[in-house]
Amino acid sequence: GDSVTQMEGPVTLSEEAFLTINCTYTATGYPSLFWYVQYPGEGLQLLLKATKADDKGSNKGFEATYRKETTSFHLEKGSVQVSDSAVYFCALSNAGGTSYGKLTFGQGTILTVHP
Amino acid sequence: NAGVTQTPKFRVLKTGQSMTLLCAQDMNHEYMYWYRQDPGMGLRLIHYSVGEGTTAKGEVPDGYNVSRLKKQNFLLGLESAAPSQTSVYFCASSYSAPRLIRELFFGEGSRLTVL
């Protein structure tokens, strides 16, 4: 079955540091890939997505490129802020067939940014 | 526009008690989902529904039942709660357009503790 593996956390950075959170996946066909973010006490929100190989998703300074050859979708940000402290989830969806858009999530990576 | 609303937000149960979590969405979405979130395990799908009157099992359905009597509501029931069901439960909904990449919209979560 489909699966998503994220780098082990938690990740602690100083403000303005460079962020990378690794994500690799195993799936049949051509899944769509997502990053969701969960701020403290809130539900998950879509951060960015990519639907085919070599697509780059971007939002709020975050970027991730769909790499089919390495089955990866690493999240990056050039300069993190304290307000980026949250839990980040990588996820995939096989949108066709009988999947009904269900998401398969990674285990989540806790990011803490200090001033 | 409330989006996805879950009630209650917190609940403490004793082993063997029953309860129902209610999810309501006002976006006219066809698809609705119940996930549970546990530390180090990401989100796992419990049950989902692709329309009023339909439900299906997800990855971890045992010990839970669901109903979708109205399009806007998706209920998650625990008939006889067990400590292993201590978790944070998230409801989500999405559009049903086929072959489109569906963003999931999440509620704020319901924290359940079973003693």
Side-chain angles (χ1 to χ4, degrees):
Chain A
D2 299 340
S3 66
V4 176
T5 302
Q6 290 181 232
M7 65 183 291
E8 294 291 331
V11 175
T12 303
L13 297 173
S14 298
E15 209 165 23
E16 299 184 3
F18 184 85
L19 168 70
T20 299
I21 301 177
N22 290 339
C23 171
T24 58
Y25 68 90
T26 302
T28 56
Y30 301 92
S32 297
L33 302 175
F34 305 82
W35 277 99
Y36 278 79
V37 58
Q38 183 182 25
Y39 297 104
E42 299 183 9
L44 281 72
Q45 305 171 26
L46 179 65
L47 180 60
L48 54 84
K49 65 185 179 186
T51 61
K52 60 183 186 296
D54 299 326
D55 265 4
K56 178 184 284 188
S58 61
N59 186 25
K60 300 181 180 180
F62 291 90
E63 292 183 339
T65 301
Y66 188 163
R67 301 290 188 196
K68 190 168 178 63
E69 64 275 15
T70 55
T71 61
S72 64
F73 193 54
H74 304 321
L75 182 68
E76 297 182 337
K77 187 175 185 182
S79 177
V80 294
Q81 305 300 313
V82 172
S83 58
D84 294 327
S85 298
V87 184
Y88 292 82
F89 292 92
C90 185
L92 71 81
S93 172
N94 265 314
T98 59
S99 67
Y100 298 113
K102 302 188 301 292
L103 290 178
T104 299
F105 286 89
Q107 66 268 42
T109 301
I110 300 172
L111 170 66
T112 303
V113 180
H114 293 297
Chain B
N1 191 342
V4 179
T5 304
Q6 294 180 226
T7 53
K9 295 207 171 19
F10 302 93
R11 183 75 187 269
V12 178
L13 290 176
K14 294 181 179 179
T15 297
Q17 288 185 317
S18 63
M19 75 159 295
T20 300
L21 296 175
L22 170 63
C23 176
Q25 53 94 4
D26 61 2
M27 296 173 283
N28 202 35
H29 286 168
E30 288 290 336
Y31 294 178
M32 296 187 74
Y33 314 82
W34 275 107
Y35 286 88
R36 60 178 289 174
Q37 182 183 27
D38 301 293
M41 301 187 75
L43 277 75
R44 293 179 293 169
L45 183 64
I46 304 171
H47 286 280
Y48 65 100
S49 169
V50 300
E52 183 178 317
T54 72
T55 63
K57 294 180 179 180
E59 183 184 354
V60 287
D62 294 342
Y64 304 95
N65 57 75
V66 288
S67 64
R68 184 97 181 269
L69 298 180
K70 294 182 179 180
K71 183 178 183 179
Q72 63 268 33
N73 295 337
F74 194 31
L75 279 63
L76 178 71
L78 285 71
E79 291 185 348
S80 179
S84 60
Q85 294 178 304
T86 294
S87 186
V88 180
Y89 292 86
F90 286 98
C91 177
S93 68
S94 71
Y95 295 105
S96 64
R99 299 197 178 279
L100 291 180
I101 307 308
R102 308 177 194 97
E103 175 183 353
L104 266 61
F105 294 82
F106 283 84
E108 295 183 349
S110 298
R111 183 175 294 277
L112 174 65
T113 301
V114 182
L115 303 176

